[in-house]
Amino acid sequence: AALVAAIGLYEARAGDCEVCNKILGEVEKQFKSKEKLAKSNKEKFDKMAVIENLVDEVCNAAKSQTDKKVCYYLKPIKRKVSTPMSSYAPADRVCKKLKKESPELCAVREAVKIEKGKTDYNGLKIRDLKKILMDRGVQCQN
């Protein structure tokens, strides 16, 4: 029973900080490739400076509004991002740590994609259902 509860808890948190995880995952991926290139060329490599520059690059290349919003929160705290990432902490752990200091960073969520006739409304969260109703102009009571 404890295992089932633990799996349910993990699934509930899987969508937590999804946009932050996506952006920092991209930073992490690019960092690893730049580091590998620098090691093969035997160049000097300042991890924290490279990570901070990558945060800027990824944020400048961001296209969606949700990505831009997370970047708005990430750019002022680049040093707090680069410190754990330079020690090879995974993106989800960095987001989790940043959430304690800046909860609005993880409050940003991707919009729910709705396809007529194909969307399963039973699996959606209540806040997503309320947003769908608001978009359609229907008033939600309770």
Side-chain angles (χ1 to χ4, degrees), residues 8-71:
L9 180 65
Y10 177 76
E11 288 176 0
R13 292 186 180 177
D16 202 26
C17 294
E18 60 189 26
V19 183
C20 177
N21 287 335
K22 181 176 83 171
I23 289 177
L24 291 186
E26 182 63 31
V27 170
E28 183 179 29
K29 187 175 93 177
Q30 289 183 20
F31 170 69
K32 286 180 180 177
S33 66
K34 283 193 179 206
E35 185 181 39
K36 190 182 286 186
L37 182 66
K39 281 186 179 179
S40 67
N41 294 336
K42 297 181 181 173
E43 296 174 358
K44 202 170 187 180
F45 193 70
D46 182 15
K47 294 177 187 176
M48 291 178 70
V50 170
I51 291 170
E52 289 172 14
N53 290 335
L54 284 172
V55 168
D56 283 334
E57 287 176 23
V58 169
C59 285
N60 290 338
K63 290 185 172 74
S64 74
Q65 277 306 118
T66 54
D67 291 352
K68 289 179 183 178
K69 195 171 194 176
V70 168
C71 285

